[in-house]
Amino acid sequence: MNILGISGSLRAGSANTALLRAAASLAAEGVAVTVYHGVGDLPHFSPDLDTDPPPAPVAHLRSLLAAADAVLICTPEYAFGIPGALKNALDWCVSSGEFDRKPTAALSASPGYGGGAKGLASLLTTVGALGAAVPDGATLGIPAVRSRLDVEGARITDPETADAVRAVLDALINRAEAGR
Ligand SMILES: Cc1cc2nc3c(=O)[nH]c(=O)nc-3n(C[C@H](O)[C@H](O)[C@H](O)COP(=O)(O)O)c2cc1C
């Protein structure tokens, strides 16, 4: 089982990227979570650039998505939505269709007490537009993330949060297995 992790944050000390790494260490045997680090390398989407073949960074992202059994996206909330860089990455997948029926989980970690709820809602709207299959139980907002996650060690320090992330992974994996 191959899960592609995509972070909406380009920040070196990102809690959302650390959460992806933490999820990788929580995943059961036989489940690999590979973190994609190319969001910041993608050109700004324009239909004029959506050529055949596409720009190399776009081809790379699309091939990783095509090869993935499932996708796990962790994103901060920026200005009540998702960061532009993540939206750009998702826009590159509209015409090519890699998200169509792809089991996808959506997480948002925030230092505030809202848990990035608006960012999460915005992410769900966008992946919904791409046709992604977001199973019940595969969305999670994590408020006050700095008290629950050791960002440098990429380790979830709060047992309830670790259980919640495990439950998201289980929902995602069950969906991916059902579609095999
Ligand atoms: C440009 C910008 C906009 C932000 N907008 C919001 C927001 O609308 N709501 C919110 O809860 N946090 C907002 N934040 C705070 C982020 O949630 C916080 O910086 C978070 O730690 C970023 O995630 P990361 O650690 O994965 O980079 C914003 C931060 C930045 C830099």
Side-chain angles (χ1 to χ4, degrees), residues 23 66 134 143 156 158 160 162 168:
V134 181
I156 298 170
D158 170 47
E160 274 181 31
V168 165

Side-chain angles (χ1 to χ4, degrees), residues 3-121:
I3 299 176
L4 185 67
I6 301 177
S7 173
S9 177
L10 304 182
R11 209 165 64 83
S14 162
N16 283 279
T17 308
L19 194 58
L20 281 176
R21 297 205 308 272
S25 66
L26 288 181
E29 213 180 304
V31 178
V33 180
T34 306
V35 182
Y36 168 68
H37 290 289
V39 166
D41 300 331
L42 296 165
H44 293 164
F45 177 76
S46 162
D48 293 342
L49 298 180
D50 197 1
T51 48
D52 186 12
V58 175
H60 182 230
L61 170 62
R62 289 176 176 171
S63 67
L64 291 174
L65 284 166
D69 298 299
V71 180
L72 174 63
I73 303 177
C74 293
T75 185
E77 176 178 307
Y78 276 7
F80 293 177
I82 57 173
L86 176 60
K87 180 66 164 59
N88 183 56
L90 296 173
D91 285 347
W92 274 111
C93 303
V94 172
S95 65
S96 51
E98 287 80 11
F99 273 94
D100 190 31
R101 284 171 286 160
K102 182 76 73 180
T104 300
L107 273 65
S108 182
S110 161
Y113 287 95
K118 294 190 185 77
L120 193 54

